[in-house]
Amino acid sequence: MVGSIEVMSRNSYLNGTVQNHNGLEEKLDELRRVLGKADGDLLRIVGVGAGAWGSVFAALLQDSYGQFRDKVQIRIWRRPGRAVDRATAEHLFEVINSREDVLRRLIRRCAYLKYVEARLGDRTLYADEILKDGFCLNMIDTPLCPMKVVTNLQEAVWDADVVVNGLPSTETHEVFEEISKYWKERITVPIIISLAKGIEAALEPVPHIITPTQMINRATRVPIENILYLGGPNIASEIYNKEYANARICGAEKWRVPLAKFLRQPHFIVWDNSDLVTHEVMGGLKNVYAIGAGMVAALTNESATSKSVYFAHCTSEMIFITHLLAEEPEKLAGPLLADTYVTLLKGRNAWYGQMIAKGELSLDMGDSISGKGMIQGVSAVGAFYELLSHSSLNILHPEENKPVAPVELCPILKTLYKILITREQQPQAILQALRDETLNDPRDRIEIAQTHAFYRPSLLGQP
């Protein structure tokens, strides 16, 4: 009997029909008021991109607010036509049959038979089709609630009030450039929340970082105060399974404060912060070092000692880099280390590093991996290396007393670049970087950063 009660409560919660706990309707009404929505005019929220975090974010909103159908519409866009391979279909069938609540839901919706046919190889499933039933292709083991899926980008975004960017940073500019065509006739300006963790490098007119919120701003001409970044130390599947987590929404106070309140849940605490670009860049930086951590773990048979040596060196490099990027880098230490820690423990970038080191994946397979999505750390390695090797950013080497590019003080970043981008070294080189007898004590690198005026505002596009 207890078991059936648990199943019933989980069903009611995960299908977006939970009763009005925690003042949900009041929070929804408050956001509608802030956005100037009249009675009878739906608040339209759409997720663009259906990777793991983008799908979970949309599902969390659907679970909380989907019951208020006369006040809000929550939808998610993903490209059509992505076929689910036979092995994934077989695994998906196992997941469905292991979860009584999911099995009952599919039978009730007359959707179970297609998964049987796909298991037998008699039909092909598509990613947008299974997402409607609550299955994200990058996260098959964590069933979500059913979602309203749109495959036509214009239909999805043209009248959206809030757009959630769940795309990889490498795809953000291209897709939002297309979106801008559909917004030319708009009277109201949408709110955009970007979940993307990644950066691109530009070397003209001076070396600087381009973040996803800046890409969106340039592609759409939506004012930067209407574009926010949300990120934190979290794993998408664990958040959906109600593991306690926190995140920060960063941007203009006008929007971040009401949105933080709207997004906050008992298990998902959302704080707000004004520092948009720096938090965004830190989200990309930790992905760089997560790949190396995965390599070290695989090459040393999960040696705790070797991993701790790596952690000491990679954190010292990250601290050094934050001193180049931020005027008050100390404020970033906690969020950056927390985000790095969870990524090293269970993130896809660390997993990718492990698979590359074990030889189970090849660099020739690219950085978009079936069942995992985009490995954003690869492009971030290239971007940070390009920026920090530019001669215009030269700093005085404290021991050799000569100007050097900042990357010369970041041996792990240099090694990852040679492994992943130029491919002139094998993954084993990451261990050599740690064992190099000439490598400075990590503490020395932190001390150098703290005692020298390294801050370069131009790196973040600031005067």
Side-chain angles (χ1 to χ4, degrees):
M1 183 64 186
V2 173
S4 65
I5 292 171
E6 286 176 356
V7 167
M8 283 173 61
S9 68
R10 183 170 177 82
N11 271 336
S12 64
Y13 201 87
L14 290 185
N15 287 327
T17 57
V18 65
Q19 297 307 304
N20 187 24
H21 296 160
N22 304 310
L24 289 172
E25 190 165 14
E26 288 81 359
K27 291 201 290 184
L28 175 58
D29 288 341
E30 174 65 12
L31 185 64
R32 286 174 52 84
R33 185 189 65 75
V34 170
L35 288 170
K37 302 298 289 185
D39 288 348
D41 185 9
L42 283 175
L43 171 63
R44 292 176 170 84
I45 301 173
V46 64
V48 174
W53 187 206
S55 297
V56 162
F57 196 83
L60 289 173
L61 292 175
Q62 178 65 27
D63 278 337
S64 293
Y65 298 108
Q67 58 186 309
F68 307 114
R69 294 174 186 169
D70 58 336
K71 294 184 177 183
V72 66
Q73 177 192 67
I74 299 154
R75 302 191 296 173
I76 186 167
W77 170 84
R78 73 152 294 139
R79 294 181 180 89
R82 173 76 184 273
V84 178
D85 62 52
R86 176 80 183 271
T88 304
E90 290 176 359
H91 181 55
L92 178 54
F93 188 69
E94 291 174 9
V95 171
I96 290 167
N97 287 319
S98 70
R99 288 276 299 270
E100 185 180 333
D101 56 329
V102 175
L103 186 58
R104 289 184 181 279
R105 187 183 80 201
L106 291 173
I107 291 172
R108 191 168 61 245
R109 291 162 58 94
C110 301
Y112 181 64
L113 184 58
K114 65 186 176 192
Y115 294 99
V116 178
E117 293 173 340
R119 166 66 182 82
L120 297 171
D122 293 341
R123 74 170 283 173
T124 300
L125 295 170
Y126 291 91
D128 56 286
E129 175 186 19
I130 67 173
L131 187 60
K132 292 175 183 176
D133 292 324
F135 303 110
C136 168
L137 188 58
N138 294 345
M139 201 176 59
I140 290 297
D141 289 309
T142 305
L144 309 173
C145 63
M147 286 191 274
K148 298 180 179 71
V149 179
V150 186
T151 55
N152 181 298
L153 187 58
Q154 181 175 6
E155 179 190 343
V157 302
W158 75 275
D159 62 348
D161 300 296
V162 179
V163 175
V164 180
N165 174 34
L167 296 163
S169 58
T170 46
E171 296 177 23
T172 294
H173 188 273
E174 179 188 344
V175 173
F176 275 86
E177 207 165 42
E178 185 178 345
I179 287 172
S180 69
K181 299 173 188 172
Y182 312 134
W183 283 351
K184 286 180 179 174
E185 308 299 322
R186 281 191 72 128
I187 298 169
T188 59
V189 181
I191 307 297
I192 300 169
I193 302 171
S194 180
L195 309 178
K197 292 181 176 179
I199 68 156
E200 289 185 7
L203 301 179
E204 300 293 339
V206 293
H208 63 281
I209 287 168
I210 305 172
T211 67
T213 59
Q214 292 169 332
M215 295 175 203
I216 293 167
N217 168 247
R218 293 175 187 184
T220 63
R221 301 298 177 201
V222 168
I224 199 69
E225 59 264 25
N226 277 50
I227 307 174
L228 303 101
Y229 165 71
L230 185 138
N234 41 58
I235 301 296
S237 59
E238 293 185 352
I239 290 177
Y240 195 74
N241 288 331
K242 307 292 181 277
E243 299 288 341
Y244 179 79
N246 58 59
R248 281 177 179 80
I249 187 163
C250 305
E253 184 175 2
K254 177 183 179 182
W255 300 121
R256 74 173 193 261
V257 173
L259 283 167
K261 187 176 179 183
F262 177 72
L263 296 171
R264 194 173 294 135
Q265 299 186 15
H267 70 285
F268 184 55
I269 305 304
V270 181
W271 298 313
D272 68 278
N273 190 283
S274 62
D275 194 346
L276 170 65
V277 173
T278 316
H279 276 88
E280 209 175 1
V281 172
M282 295 305 104
L285 181 59
K286 54 88 184 173
N287 285 336
V288 167
Y289 291 96
I291 294 178
M295 290 178 177
V296 170
L299 294 168
T300 63
N301 197 26
E302 299 287 345
S303 161
T305 303
S306 295
K307 287 194 286 187
S308 69
V309 170
Y310 177 83
F311 191 71
H313 283 294
C314 82
T315 50
S316 74
E317 287 191 20
M318 287 193 290
I319 290 167
F320 174 75
I321 292 169
T322 60
H323 277 74
L324 287 164
L325 296 170
E327 193 167 14
E328 297 177 296
E330 296 78 13
K331 292 182 178 179
L332 297 167
L336 175 58
L337 286 177
D339 210 351
T340 303
Y341 181 63
V342 75
T343 305
L344 265 53
L345 284 176
K346 204 173 178 180
R348 75 180 81 171
N349 288 278
W351 171 87
Y352 178 78
Q354 283 188 309
M355 295 297 105
I356 290 292
K358 290 177 179 177
E360 293 180 28
L361 287 179
S362 157
L363 293 174
D364 292 331
M365 297 167 72
D367 49 9
S368 181
I369 306 299
S370 178
K372 288 288 181 179
M374 182 63 69
I375 309 299
Q376 306 221 58
V378 178
S379 61
V381 166
F384 276 108
Y385 182 90
E386 282 180 40
L387 285 169
L388 300 182
S389 59
H390 202 275
S391 59
S392 68
L393 297 174
N394 278 5
I395 57 178
L396 195 65
H397 195 290
E399 291 176 354
E400 299 175 16
N401 205 30
K402 66 177 185 180
V404 294
V407 78
E408 295 303 321
L409 293 172
C410 301
I412 293 175
L413 176 58
K414 279 180 67 177
T415 303
L416 287 169
Y417 183 80
K418 290 175 181 177
I419 295 170
L420 297 169
I421 308 300
T422 63
R423 305 188 188 182
E424 58 191 276
Q425 292 186 341
Q426 295 299 310
Q428 288 76 9
I430 198 77
L431 296 183
Q432 193 56 44
L434 294 184
R435 293 167 182 162
D436 186 346
E437 292 177 9
T438 63
L439 198 66
N440 289 328
D441 182 334
R443 178 180 167 278
D444 295 342
R445 191 178 295 107
I446 296 170
E447 199 170 299
I448 291 166
Q450 291 174 337
T451 56
H452 292 70
F454 284 160
Y455 176 45
R456 300 286 191 276
S458 58
L459 273 172
L460 296 186
Q462 297 165 5

